[in-house]
Amino acid sequence: MRRVYMDHSATTPVRPEVAQVVTKYFTETFGNASSVHAFGREARKGVETAREQIANLIKAKPEEIFFTSGGTEADNMAIIGTALANKDKGKHIITTQIEHHAVLDTCKYLEKQGFEVTYLPVDAEAMLDMETLKKAIRKDTILITIMHVNNEVGTILPIKEIGAIAKENNILFHVDAVQSFGKLPIDVNQMNIDMLSASGHKIYAPKGIGCLFLRKGTKLSPIMFGGAQERKRRPGTENVPGIVGFGLAAELAGKEMEEENKRLTKLRDKLIDGILEKIPESQLNGHRTQRLPGNVNVSLRYIEGESLLLMLDLKGIAASSGSACTSGSLDPSHVLMAMGICHEIAHGSLRLTLGKINTEEDIDYVLEVLPEIVEKLREMSPLYNSIKLERREECSKCTLTK
Amino acid sequence: MLYLDNSATTSIHPEVRKIICDVLEKHFGNPSSLHKKGVEAEKLLNKSREIVAQSLQVNPQEIIFTSGGTEGDNLAVKGVALQYHKRGRHIITSQIEHPAVKESCRQLEELGFEVTYLGVDKYGFIAPEDLLQSIRPDTILVSIMHVNNEVGSIQPIAKIGDFLKKHHKIFFHVDAVQGFAKVPLKVKEWGIDLLTISGHKIHGPKGVGALYVKDGIKIVPLLAGGGQEAGIRSGTENVPGIVGLAKSCQIAREIFVGNSKKMLDLRKQCISMIKDKLPEAIINGPECGEVSPYILNLSVPRLKGEVLVHALEKEGIYVSTGSACSSKKNITSPVLDAMGIDQETKLGSIRVSFTYETSLEDIKMFVNNLVKIVGQLINKR
């Protein structure tokens, strides 16, 4: 049976070049980067090279990159860290309703600590309106934290515009770039970004490594305490193999970005068009053009997402219904809810995220298998059958294509 | 080449490396994903949790995976303090803790907690009686390390745990980063409530560790997000690292426990060789008794530790001054400070840390080179 992995937004396989260097740092260059002897110095060299590789990718300075255990830690560190360091200036934070839980739950935590948070709404394509943002800004706003690319529907948010607004109002700007780092061009200066979170395992590096870009001069209260590593911002023995692997993956991603994006966009559009054409009562979620090259998110009416995933899995296709982090919960996606998609349709959503290992044959295979599965599931759906008998009424809240 | 800085970090055991590479290559799924790749990863995660739990003789649901010892310590100390602050705001720890514990306590002091930092004797031992006397009605947490990372003293954890059994409302955290797998540890029997371990000190990978949290104890998370690790530690699980940690726990029994008698003998021999050939040398910390077979701290009068470290490195022997975490700060070790050691000896201290593979030949090579170097350096003056 063909095996097709289309869940690259959940995690990616480690690419061979990266695996090789990680292995080398596991065995030969295993020193503690804080040790002063040769083993330590070699490990330190690896860490500092990686810091440069990552800085280069987002046009930052190496000393502005701080390694973390992943995207979640970077988000927590940035938001809690700046909120606490700037609480004398104000206690208001602006974010959106469609952020990753690492941002949303951190904001909720800060609300309990006496901060106020505005969760900006988005439109039906998960796009943010700049006027809405401007209106939300208050005198005591200290931080704007907005994701670059939504992890579920792939919409690319206008980071440059948001950065300009943040700068104009002298407000710190944090970007959760976990889904865009290494996939879309980022220039922290041009985009006026003060902080940016990235993660290794979304760009073919190992799990358990990520980083925070922190613009020089930005005050931050650390969330962890201990040794003096990462210039006291993030203590703990450096995960040297992870860091070195992350650095290389970032460099390679930068080199391949343009070409890979062209390829993925073509594959993505073929997949989207194919699904919308072959499957009746299907709709695309997210923005059609301002969209991550590898992201496909569709709602298939009368389908229960989880059973669809299991059927796809039996056919060798690995996909998801939303983000992996919330896949255990039965609640519909908070992102689709924020986009105003009704419960029933949100439950039938399917996310297919493409990456390096996917080929045109994979797309053809999905387009062959998916419509069959959907038809089979719909045949079994009492809802579908009852509606087929009656006249189909448009769901008042949503914009489903008929 | 002779690497004797195993308390800073260890090389990855070949079996651990093999299994990590295997996971990196074949099982790259996100354990939270519902498809086969995700389920595979979740199974590996569960299996690893069982193995780590087994090695501590605790239940799998009592293991929380972290990014390492520092995170484990932060999570334990602050997690308990912030969760139970309504019961009281007093914490007892020691002056010789790792910065991950000490600095976490300092942060809590800023938040209005009171912390008692217990002193130690000249060998680096805290006295359980001192601890008993420090207990107040508002004490909520005791955090004491098992093996000191600089001088190797083994703290009387069993005794402290025994004392604390009469104080049901006080939680007991043990930083076992240096002791785990290397010296005997009985988590349940000793009444330990929380315990931190790290992968890269036991020939496992860097960037991964675990915190044992006894069933029924709630802690405030450090990181908010996807709710992984029962809501206590969000973030996509570091599956290859976790599997590697489990493997290193599994082989630890064989490599460390199996070699502990040999290592104790080697440490003894090392000390007697030094005393024989370099009578002026001073051993910092316990010479024998309650001491880790893997750590030896010594000073040579009139010579700076830094100079010795560099001179030894030229001979291909790698040791350190104190802990790696503070090796770049030009200050004396707080551990040696607490032991009341004089300034010259403190500045002269080096830490030699062994591992299961260290042989008598290695020890001889180290001592002979040390003697040679000391001779050269003293003559130069």
Side-chain angles (χ1 to χ4, degrees):
Chain A
M1 187 181 58
R2 199 180 176 90
R3 305 259 337 243
V4 175
Y5 184 78
M6 281 201 187
D7 202 9
H8 288 82
S9 284
T11 194
T12 59
V14 172
R15 53 192 296 173
E17 309 93 309
V18 171
Q20 205 188 341
V21 72
V22 169
T23 311
K24 179 179 170 265
Y25 276 80
F26 272 147
T27 44
E28 294 160 39
T29 325
F30 67 85
N32 184 322
S34 298
S35 293
V36 290
H37 50 62
F39 283 83
R41 291 196 304 270
E42 278 169 34
R44 167 63 51 204
K45 214 172 137 193
V47 169
E48 296 315 320
T49 304
R51 209 185 296 282
E52 276 171 37
Q53 287 167 317
I54 284 166
N56 285 344
L57 186 60
I58 56 171
K59 313 276 189 286
K61 298 187 190 95
E63 64 267 28
E64 295 175 322
I65 304 298
F66 297 88
F67 291 108
T68 67
S69 66
T72 292
E73 187 186 332
D75 283 339
N76 275 259
M77 205 172 138
I79 297 170
I80 298 175
T82 43
L84 295 182
N86 292 287
K87 62 171 188 275
D88 298 339
K89 289 187 196 154
K91 290 196 146 197
H92 181 237
I93 295 166
I94 298 174
T95 184
T96 75
Q97 292 174 3
I98 59 164
E99 298 300 310
H100 187 272
H101 280 290
V103 169
L104 284 180
D105 290 6
T106 303
C107 288
K108 281 186 195 128
Y109 162 80
L110 287 173
E111 282 182 304
K112 279 192 215 153
Q113 309 292 316
F115 286 82
E116 275 182 75
V117 183
T118 302
Y119 300 90
L120 299 174
V122 292
D123 69 12
E125 293 180 311
M127 193 49 87
L128 181 67
D129 174 42
M130 290 304 102
E131 291 310 310
T132 316
L133 169 65
K134 281 183 197 160
K135 275 184 209 147
I137 292 174
R138 310 190 324 206
K139 270 188 191 154
D140 61 340
T141 307
I142 50 168
L143 174 68
I144 296 174
T145 168
I146 292 178
M147 68 197 335
H148 191 184
V149 168
N150 180 266
N151 53 316
E152 293 191 25
V153 298
T155 300
I156 303 170
L157 294 164
I159 291 305
K160 200 177 164 188
E161 280 89 328
I162 301 169
I165 294 170
K167 195 181 180 188
E168 211 177 294
N169 290 278
N170 207 12
I171 300 168
L172 288 173
F173 181 31
H174 167 248
V175 177
D176 172 358
V178 167
Q179 294 291 344
S180 65
F181 179 80
K183 297 175 187 166
L184 296 176
I186 295 173
D187 182 327
V188 290
N189 300 313
Q190 251 182 36
M191 293 169 152
N192 286 307
I193 297 169
D194 297 303
M195 287 163 285
L196 179 138
S197 309
S199 164
H201 76 102
K202 311 284 189 193
I203 60 160
Y204 311 96
K207 294 175 182 60
I209 188 71
C211 73
L212 177 68
F213 154 76
L214 178 69
R215 183 173 294 285
K216 221 175 167 177
T218 312
K219 273 200 287 178
L220 186 98
S221 307
I223 52 175
M224 269 191 232
F225 295 81
Q229 291 94 342
E230 296 298 285
R231 305 219 312 284
K232 287 195 177 171
R233 295 312 194 306
R234 207 295 188 174
T237 299
E238 296 90 341
N239 176 359
V240 184
I243 289 171
V244 171
F246 186 24
L248 179 62
E251 186 182 300
L252 295 173
K255 278 186 189 153
E256 297 164 3
M257 191 186 291
E258 213 181 313
E259 213 160 302
E260 179 68 354
N261 279 352
K262 270 187 210 153
R263 190 183 78 89
L264 287 178
T265 306
K266 226 175 101 188
L267 292 182
R268 174 197 78 189
D269 289 345
K270 180 174 177 180
L271 185 55
I272 292 175
D273 294 341
I275 291 173
L276 296 182
E277 189 195 302
K278 289 191 173 184
I279 303 175
E281 303 203 58
S282 57
Q283 73 174 42
L284 178 70
N285 297 319
H287 203 282
R288 180 73 219 219
T289 52
Q290 286 302 306
R291 183 179 200 94
L292 188 73
N295 178 291
V296 175
N297 188 314
V298 288
S299 279
L300 308 165
R301 208 170 172 189
Y302 316 115
I303 296 285
E304 203 273 305
E306 201 153 320
S307 34
L308 177 62
L309 291 186
L310 292 176
M311 300 277 279
L312 282 170
D313 202 22
L314 290 175
K315 290 279 183 186
I317 300 169
S320 72
S321 55
S323 85
C325 307
T326 50
S327 59
S329 84
L330 288 172
D331 296 333
S333 141
H334 69 281
V335 176
L336 298 180
M337 292 290 102
M339 290 159 66
I341 292 171
C342 74
H343 251 255
E344 184 219 324
I345 289 176
H347 265 300
S349 72
L350 171 70
R351 182 183 73 172
L352 296 157
T353 42
L354 313 178
K356 281 180 74 62
I357 55 176
N358 293 127
T359 59
E360 184 142 15
E361 286 76 50
D362 290 344
I363 305 290
D364 294 336
Y365 180 65
V366 172
L367 286 176
E368 177 195 318
V369 170
L370 181 64
E372 288 168 14
I373 293 176
V374 170
E375 206 182 310
K376 212 183 280 174
L377 285 172
R378 282 181 176 167
E379 288 305 322
M380 295 189 297
S381 155
L383 181 66
Y384 181 66
N385 288 316
S386 68
I387 288 174
K388 221 163 59 171
L389 291 175
E390 297 161 22
R391 279 194 50 212
R392 286 183 204 178
E393 268 173 55
E394 191 169 356
C395 177
S396 59
K397 277 191 219 151
C398 46
T399 50
L400 193 68
T401 44
K402 287 236 145 190
Chain B
M1 191 279 285
L2 179 56
Y3 182 79
L4 294 178
D5 196 12
N6 290 285
S7 285
T9 194
T10 56
S11 63
I12 279 219
H13 190 280
E15 279 181 49
V16 176
R17 184 194 58 208
K18 204 168 143 259
I19 203 164
I20 292 176
C21 293
D22 203 49
V23 176
L24 282 176
E25 218 176 284
K26 294 182 204 147
H27 308 291
F28 64 85
N30 184 326
S32 299
S33 294
L34 294 173
H35 49 67
K36 203 173 162 195
K37 277 281 160 211
V39 173
E40 257 171 41
E42 195 191 5
K43 273 188 192 154
L44 285 173
L45 189 64
N46 291 340
K47 183 77 201 152
S48 303
R49 203 184 302 281
E50 275 169 32
I51 294 169
V52 174
Q54 227 169 40
S55 74
L56 289 168
Q57 289 173 297
V58 301
N59 303 317
Q61 69 270 20
E62 295 175 314
I63 298 296
I64 307 292
F65 290 114
T66 65
S67 67
T70 292
E71 186 185 333
D73 284 341
N74 273 262
L75 181 57
V77 172
K78 293 190 279 188
V80 165
L82 297 176
Q83 178 73 40
Y84 296 97
H85 66 100
K86 282 181 187 147
R87 276 192 199 170
R89 300 191 135 223
H90 179 241
I91 294 165
I92 301 171
T93 185
S94 83
Q95 291 173 8
I96 61 162
E97 296 302 309
H98 187 275
V101 167
K102 238 192 199 171
E103 296 299 321
S104 293
C105 288
R106 296 244 188 270
Q107 190 201 4
L108 288 170
E109 283 180 303
E110 277 175 30
L111 296 174
F113 286 80
E114 279 180 72
V115 182
T116 301
Y117 298 89
L118 298 174
V120 293
D121 66 13
K122 62 178 178 174
Y123 298 109
F125 292 112
I126 69 158
E129 295 72 24
D130 288 353
L131 188 139
L132 204 56
Q133 278 174 8
S134 308
I135 291 175
R136 310 190 323 204
D138 61 341
T139 306
I140 54 167
L141 176 67
V142 170
S143 178
I144 301 290
M145 72 198 327
H146 192 194
V147 168
N148 179 266
N149 52 320
E150 293 190 31
V151 299
S153 51
I154 301 176
Q155 303 306 322
I157 298 299
K159 203 158 184 193
I160 297 168
D162 209 37
F163 282 161
L164 290 177
K165 277 175 191 159
K166 291 171 212 124
H167 299 268
H168 294 295
K169 289 193 169 172
I170 302 177
F171 296 105
F172 184 25
H173 168 245
V174 174
D175 171 358
V177 168
Q178 289 290 347
F180 173 62
K182 296 176 183 171
V183 302
L185 169 68
K186 295 190 170 103
V187 178
K188 295 280 179 191
E189 205 182 305
W190 295 352
I192 298 169
D193 296 311
L194 303 106
L195 180 125
T196 309
I197 64 169
S198 163
H200 76 106
K201 308 287 190 193
I202 54 165
H203 297 278
K206 293 178 180 61
V208 66
L211 178 67
Y212 155 76
V213 184
K214 191 175 147 189
D215 250 347
I217 298 177
K218 280 198 240 169
I219 55 174
V220 173
L222 274 182
L223 303 178
Q228 289 91 341
E229 299 295 293
I232 295 178
R233 208 290 183 175
S234 290
T236 300
E237 299 89 340
N238 176 359
V239 183
I242 289 168
V243 171
L245 171 68
K247 189 74 201 177
S248 59
C249 286
Q250 221 169 19
I251 55 179
R253 177 168 294 275
E254 184 190 321
I255 65 176
F256 290 115
V257 181
N259 280 301
S260 64
K261 203 190 160 299
K262 171 197 109 176
M263 289 311 303
L264 268 178
D265 283 346
L266 277 187
R267 190 178 180 275
K268 256 187 221 156
Q269 276 174 292
C270 187
I271 293 176
S272 68
M273 275 188 252
I274 290 169
K275 285 193 162 171
D276 190 32
K277 296 182 175 176
L278 209 61
E280 69 270 35
I282 297 159
I283 306 297
N284 302 311
E287 281 188 23
C288 55
E290 291 300 300
V291 66
S292 165
Y294 297 96
I295 298 176
L296 179 61
N297 192 311
L298 62 111
S299 300
V300 180
R302 291 182 295 150
L303 286 180
K304 278 201 175 172
E306 234 180 276
V307 175
L308 279 177
V309 167
H310 287 301
L312 282 166
E313 190 182 347
K314 281 196 184 136
E315 306 296 324
I317 299 170
Y318 300 91
V319 301
S320 71
T321 62
S323 84
C325 303
S326 53
S327 60
K328 281 177 184 169
K329 284 179 269 170
N330 201 12
I331 48 168
T332 56
S333 144
V335 176
L336 300 182
D337 288 347
M339 287 159 66
I341 288 170
D342 67 87
Q343 187 71 4
E344 191 197 332
T345 310
K346 275 190 293 198
L347 286 173
S349 84
I350 61 171
R351 179 183 68 179
V352 192
S353 46
F354 313 117
T355 187
Y356 69 100
E357 288 172 311
T358 310
S359 66
L360 183 60
E361 273 60 51
D362 294 338
I363 301 280
K364 281 182 186 160
M365 180 180 164
F366 163 68
V367 176
N368 290 338
N369 276 283
L370 181 70
V371 173
K372 188 177 89 187
I373 285 163
V374 169
Q376 287 166 353
L377 289 170
I378 301 269
N379 282 339
K380 254 193 218 166
R381 295 183 159 214

